[in-house]
Amino acid sequence: MSHLVRLDAAAARLRVITTAGEQLTGADLLSFTLDQAVTESGGLGGMVHLRASGSRALLLTTVHGLLRTVVQNWTEIEETGPTTPARAVARGVPVWEPAHAVENRTGVALPGGGGLLAVPLIAPEGTAGVLSVLMAAAEEPTPRQRAAVGALAAWVAPRLGRLWADGQQVRSRHTPDESPWAVGGAGPGRPGDPARTAGPDGSSGKTPATPESVSRVLWHMSDAFFAMNSAWRLTFVNAEAERLLGPSHALLGRTLWDTFASWRVDLADGFQARCRQVVDSGIPANFTLRWPTNQRWYQMRLVPVPGGLTVYAADVTESQARKAERAAAERAAAERTARITELTTALAQALTMRDVVAAIAERVLPPFGASGLVIEIIEGQAIRVAGSVGYSQTFLDSLDGAPVASITPVSEVYHSGQPAFIGSVEEYIARYPLMSGLAAASHKAAWAFLPLIVSGRCIGCCVISFGESRRLDGEERGLLTALSGLLGQAIERARLYDTEHTRAKELQRGLLPRALPSLRFVETAARYLPASEGIDVGGDWYDVIPLSGARVALVIGDVMGHGLPEAATMGRLRTAVHTLADLEFPPAELLTRLNDLVSDLGESFYATCLYAVYDPAPATCTFACAGHPPPAVVRPGHPVRFPEYSPDPPLGAARPPFETREVSLPEGSLLVLYTDGLVEAATRDIGHGMNHLARVLSGAAFRSGLQPGAPAARRDRDRCENASLEQLCDEVLAELLPDKRLPDDDAALLIARTHPIASGDITTWPLPEGAIAASEARDHVRGQLARWDLDALTMTSELLVSELVGNAIRHAKGPIALRLLRGEKLICEVSDSSLTTPRIRHAADTDEGGRGLQLVAALSQRWGTRYTSAGKCIWTEQQLP
């Protein structure tokens, strides 16, 4: 359609031109036609050749915009020669040739490197000549350019009359002293000058010219037009140019630069430089400028002519405005496209709902000038707020939980699946009168409700709001509607991720200890951090297990890999460690049995584990490692160190026996257990990580007040030390995490503060062999409990000791020993050198014995047997009063 409009406009312009030239004849007609042909086609210049009578030559009759040095090679050309005009006459059709083809064919170079378009002048009497236009570009002329030159040639050819038929041509119009009007026809700037032309009788002479007719045409042109001579003085100014420059009577004879100077504008130097460049090069030039007097835009065309310069100024303000509008629209479209691309990338990288909301707020709200965002998801029959920007929590609470069946914009969008746009508060209240309070509470004035469609179903609504009334146009509405599909996919994906991530965290928490036991001789604190990415659960775990004799087992492990199989393996290993710990296996034996369990799971399962047992009586810790980093030991007044040991392979790949190490832990020592995720990262190997951990522990332990100090009450000391351990865990994590972010791998940290048993809380007696041993044992127990102010436990303790010593005398061998230990509970231990494990059996009614262990189990809170390096030990625990 736009192409047809341009063609109609061009045809209308040609009708105006031809109407203006109806009264012209002879040379004036040719000059007028050539001038218009050059202008309409955007050419650099042009020439007209007419056929000479009685010869086969084409004679140059009229020139426009070409210098003498150029036209001297074209004054007379052979009708049958190789030139472009001659070929057009011979063929009777327009001919176009680029400059290099013309030069190769004729040896004559064309200025500007463009090309030559030659159109034959076909009159009823025959071909009168040829009109040629020198084009600025080397590309073939457009259909519009061809049509303009062809229409003017077809219009002028029948009007030439006998100008060419009698062979009388004007060839004296190219002398260098002529004014700028000499090459274009009669001088309209000088109405009294005659125009030199040839008479119809072929004789050379002066005939009356009609410059007034040309002057009238130029005077009434819709474009501004003025001419300057070689001294840059104005010689002609038409009516439109007077509106730009001033009245002609004050301009003619003055230079244009004087006029510019009187305006006090910075225009003279640049304009004069362009004019000189055009005159020197002989090539017309076009440029656009904003006229200083009326601030309108003009397309300036400078055309050099012998002896001066002509200037055309076409008002292009409207087209410049449209061009600016198109440029602004294109920039806005490009910006929106860029933001959509950025949004697509950001949504593709977003994992959680928080990430999605942040991406929408950053890349969707600014381009539309929006100030608020709410993501509302339909769960069952209720509307839930999943994320927001630009709203108060009070307002969001009023939205959350609203029923889907209520009459609200969100409900309508959910049921219809179509977006809704509300441009003002008044429109909102008119459509939803019962929701006027909600509209006022939102502090917004316009809304776009976008359905979130996923796989053909609506899962909710994305509400984009504006602080002021806003009518979105069709393009903006279409863009937001298109974006809603992209947002729906990202939001649904984020919902699934958040759900799975929550379930994974719940599973992880369920597999780890919910709370660490509160023990008298060991205070503990722990931290677990999942990996920074992904929803798979990890295989890191830790545990604190109370053992007999006030001993404590400290465990930490790591199942290699992530996912539900690894988490299930971790749960099985943790359960197995609890079971084996209850059987009182030493660390090396426990890891041996644990290795068999992991090996039975398959070749794809491996795990690392550190199992340590702290005994407060000698204040020592015995541990064994299966592919796990060694513990860090912090003794008061000593540097942090890692016990030296030969690392064993991980569980599932190890070959027992495992190496056992023992370290002493005086009062106030710290034992730090950790997994490799805490000390190892992509930018740090495990060795550097352990050194970093040692430095952090040295400083953090001192700042947390974990150095030994003055004695305090037991309860106050425990409370302070537990708080200090929690603070120490936080400081260690804050320092060791790379860039203060979550680790690349799961990380677990377990810190224990140890206290030895005070000498007054433990007593050991050797017992003689024979029946007297039970009596002595009762005496020892009675006396010690009295010293501990535990007389309430004397009778029960005497019965327990009598049964344990009696069993040792009857069923065991070797020396017998009794130990009483006061900790969280009262512990009674009887040891012997036998490896036989006592078992409870059901005694018959007539049996005289076999009920001793039943009595022990009934009287004690807990009892059991453990093996020692010298034999075994049977122990009982009673709750302290």
Side-chain angles (χ1 to χ4, degrees):
M1 180 64 70
S2 61
H3 176 66
L4 295 177
V5 171
R6 288 195 297 270
L7 291 180
D8 291 343
R13 185 177 178 86
L14 287 175
R15 286 195 296 271
V16 173
I17 292 172
T18 55
T19 302
E22 285 291 344
Q23 303 299 323
L24 300 178
T25 59
D28 295 331
L29 177 61
L30 284 178
S31 297
F32 175 78
T33 304
L34 181 60
D35 180 22
Q36 299 302 323
V38 172
T39 301
E40 292 301 314
S41 63
L44 300 175
M47 50 190 174
V48 175
H49 290 81
L50 296 182
R51 298 175 68 177
S53 178
S55 69
R56 302 186 62 82
L58 296 172
L59 303 179
L60 181 62
T61 304
T62 308
V63 179
H64 177 84
L66 300 179
L67 295 178
R68 183 184 184 92
T69 56
V70 176
V71 301
Q72 64 184 2
N73 296 319
W74 301 85
T75 56
E76 184 174 338
I77 58 178
E78 290 293 331
E79 187 177 329
T80 59
T83 61
T84 307
R87 298 176 65 203
V89 171
R91 297 182 180 180
V93 294
V95 175
W96 153 259
E97 285 189 309
H100 64 84
V102 174
E103 185 174 0
N104 292 337
R105 186 184 301 275
T106 64
V108 178
L110 294 175
L116 194 63
L117 174 63
V119 180
L121 301 173
I122 303 176
E125 297 83 355
T127 301
V130 59
L131 186 151
S132 306
V133 177
L134 178 63
M135 307 300 289
E139 291 81 9
E140 187 170 347
T142 64
R144 189 191 67 79
Q145 292 172 318
R146 284 180 175 269
V149 178
L152 288 168
W155 171 77
V156 75
R159 289 168 173 77
L160 294 178
R162 298 186 56 81
L163 181 63
W164 61 274
D166 294 335
Q168 306 298 324
Q169 308 297 334
V170 177
R171 303 186 59 191
S172 59
R173 304 176 61 83
H174 308 293
T175 56
D177 59 341
E178 288 179 319
S179 73
W181 295 106
V183 296
R190 297 170 294 171
D193 288 354
R196 289 171 292 182
T197 185
D201 58 354
S203 62
S204 178
K206 302 268 180 110
T207 60
T210 59
E212 291 81 3
S213 60
V214 179
S215 297
R216 284 195 302 273
V217 172
L218 295 175
W219 178 263
H220 294 288
M221 283 178 60
S222 60
D223 296 338
F225 174 85
F226 54 92
M228 295 180 286
N229 60 18
S230 58
W232 307 110
R233 299 185 180 277
L234 293 167
T235 60
F236 178 80
V237 180
N238 73 350
E240 191 64 27
E242 283 188 340
R243 294 188 178 93
L244 298 181
L245 302 175
S248 58
H249 64 82
L251 295 174
L252 296 179
R254 297 181 60 193
T255 65
L256 185 62
W257 334 128
D258 295 336
T259 302
F260 291 158
S262 66
W263 293 344
R264 300 182 182 274
V265 296
D266 186 18
L267 184 63
D269 293 341
F271 201 95
Q272 187 175 13
R274 288 180 179 269
C275 292
R276 291 186 181 278
Q277 182 180 3
V278 169
V279 171
D280 293 341
S281 64
I283 301 174
N286 295 280
F287 61 93
T288 304
L289 62 80
R290 194 167 193 174
W291 202 256
T293 57
N294 59 9
Q295 296 300 308
R296 295 184 67 83
W297 288 94
Y298 288 87
Q299 176 72 32
M300 310 298 294
R301 177 173 173 79
L302 308 181
V303 180
V305 294
L309 181 72
T310 59
V311 181
Y312 299 82
D315 191 334
V316 292
T317 303
E318 285 72 18
S319 63
Q320 286 290 106
R322 290 192 296 270
K323 186 184 298 184
E325 291 175 359
R326 287 194 300 269
E330 291 172 358
R331 285 194 300 270
E335 181 180 356
R336 283 195 295 266
T337 301
R339 286 187 176 271
I340 291 174
T341 302
E342 294 175 359
L343 174 64
T344 303
T345 303
L347 291 180
Q349 297 174 350
L351 291 177
T352 66
M353 183 65 72
R354 178 179 297 179
D355 297 336
V356 173
V357 171
I360 298 173
E362 181 180 354
R363 293 175 172 84
V364 175
L365 300 190
F368 292 93
S371 60
L373 168 71
V374 181
I375 304 297
E376 300 184 60
I377 303 299
I378 308 301
E379 294 182 356
Q381 296 299 314
I383 301 174
R384 298 296 180 185
V385 176
S388 68
V389 171
Y391 288 94
S392 66
Q393 188 59 46
T394 303
F395 176 76
L396 297 175
D397 292 340
S398 66
L399 295 179
D400 196 47
V404 180
S406 59
I407 303 177
T408 63
V410 174
S411 298
E412 291 190 6
V413 168
Y414 171 70
H415 289 104
S416 67
Q418 300 297 320
F421 301 94
I422 301 177
S424 64
V425 176
E426 292 76 16
E427 182 182 353
Y428 189 102
I429 296 175
R431 293 176 62 173
Y432 308 99
L434 299 179
M435 306 295 295
S436 58
L438 192 64
S442 69
H443 301 293
K444 304 297 179 183
W447 298 264
F449 297 89
L450 308 175
L452 301 174
I453 307 296
V454 178
S455 300
R457 62 186 180 89
C458 185
I459 64 171
C461 181
C462 174
V463 185
I464 296 176
S465 55
F466 305 85
E468 298 179 354
S469 298
R470 173 74 183 275
R471 298 290 178 181
L472 296 173
D473 58 29
E475 182 183 359
E476 291 173 323
R477 293 188 177 194
L479 184 57
L480 285 175
T481 303
L483 285 177
S484 64
L486 183 64
L487 301 183
Q489 297 292 336
I491 290 171
E492 179 68 2
R493 187 172 61 251
R495 286 181 63 206
L496 294 177
Y497 177 90
D498 287 342
T499 301
E500 293 301 320
H501 193 59
T502 301
R503 291 175 179 173
K505 283 184 172 294
E506 291 175 351
L507 173 61
Q508 189 77 64
R509 286 193 295 267
L511 293 174
L512 292 174
R514 293 187 177 274
L516 297 178
S518 177
L519 304 174
R520 179 173 183 178
F521 301 110
V522 177
E523 288 89 33
T524 56
R527 294 290 186 273
Y528 173 82
L529 292 175
S532 57
E533 295 184 359
I535 60 174
D536 290 333
V537 293
D540 291 17
W541 92 95
Y542 58 86
D543 221 331
V544 177
I545 306 172
L547 302 178
S548 65
R551 296 171 307 129
V552 179
L554 304 171
V555 191
I556 195 164
D558 180 6
V559 178
M560 298 182 183
H562 292 82
L564 291 178
E566 286 73 14
T569 301
M570 181 263 280
R572 297 172 69 177
L573 293 182
R574 182 167 175 256
T575 301
V577 169
H578 267 272
T579 302
L580 296 174
D582 287 341
L583 296 176
E584 303 283 357
F585 284 112
E589 180 65 19
L590 185 142
L591 291 185
T592 298
R593 296 178 180 272
L594 206 60
N595 180 69
D596 296 338
L597 173 62
V598 176
S599 298
D600 292 340
L601 295 177
E603 296 181 355
S604 60
F605 287 94
Y606 299 96
T608 67
C609 184
L610 187 154
Y611 183 82
V613 176
Y614 172 68
D615 191 344
T620 60
C621 178
T622 304
F623 68 90
C625 295
H628 204 87
V633 179
V634 186
R635 295 187 180 93
H638 292 80
V640 178
R641 74 179 186 90
F642 299 93
E644 296 183 0
Y645 80 108
S646 300
D648 290 304
L651 301 175
R655 294 183 179 180
F658 291 92
E659 181 182 0
T660 300
R661 296 284 298 177
E662 183 177 291
V663 294
S664 62
L665 298 175
E667 169 67 33
S669 296
L670 296 179
L671 190 68
V672 181
L673 283 61
Y674 52 91
T675 58
D676 58 357
L678 189 65
V679 295
E680 189 176 27
T683 58
R684 179 181 61 192
D685 61 37
I686 192 170
H688 287 86
M690 291 171 61
N691 292 334
H692 191 190
L693 173 62
R695 292 192 299 271
V696 172
L697 288 173
S698 297
F702 180 81
R703 290 191 301 271
S704 299
L706 293 176
Q707 300 299 327
R714 179 81 229 175
R715 183 176 302 174
D716 292 341
R717 190 197 72 178
D718 292 347
R719 183 169 59 251
C720 293
E721 289 181 349
N722 285 336
S724 298
L725 284 180
E726 297 291 339
Q727 179 182 351
L728 179 60
C729 286
D730 293 335
E731 290 192 30
V732 169
L733 293 181
E735 290 294 332
L736 286 176
L737 293 184
D739 302 325
K740 305 296 185 292
R741 296 193 304 266
L742 291 178
D744 298 330
D745 190 12
D746 300 289
L749 174 66
L750 175 63
I751 301 180
R753 170 75 182 265
T754 62
H755 305 284
I757 297 179
S759 59
D761 289 335
I762 184 171
T763 305
T764 303
W765 300 275
L767 297 177
E769 296 183 12
I772 194 158
S775 175
E776 289 189 11
R778 288 192 295 271
D779 292 339
H780 291 316
V781 167
R782 189 182 310 111
Q784 187 62 50
L785 292 183
R787 287 188 290 274
W788 285 344
D789 294 328
L790 296 177
D791 299 293
L793 300 179
T794 301
M795 182 180 296
T796 304
S797 300
E798 287 183 358
L799 288 175
L800 290 173
V801 169
S802 295
E803 288 297 330
L804 295 180
V805 173
N807 280 341
I809 293 173
R810 286 190 298 269
H811 303 294
K813 60 181 180 179
I816 302 173
L818 170 65
R819 187 172 77 163
L820 288 182
L821 189 150
R822 181 177 62 176
E824 288 92 357
K825 298 177 176 61
L826 176 64
I827 301 172
C828 300
E829 296 180 346
V830 175
S831 59
D832 56 56
S833 58
S834 173
L835 298 178
T836 302
T837 302
R839 293 186 298 272
I840 297 179
R841 64 185 182 87
H842 292 281
D845 293 340
T846 58
D847 289 343
E848 296 182 358
R851 297 178 179 85
L853 292 182
Q854 294 183 20
L855 180 62
V856 169
L859 295 177
S860 62
Q861 185 181 21
R862 198 166 70 106
W863 76 280
T865 303
R866 70 172 181 271
Y867 293 96
T868 65
S869 58
K872 71 174 183 296
C873 171
I874 303 176
W875 53 269
T876 65
E877 291 182 358
Q878 299 177 75
Q879 187 70 40
L880 293 178

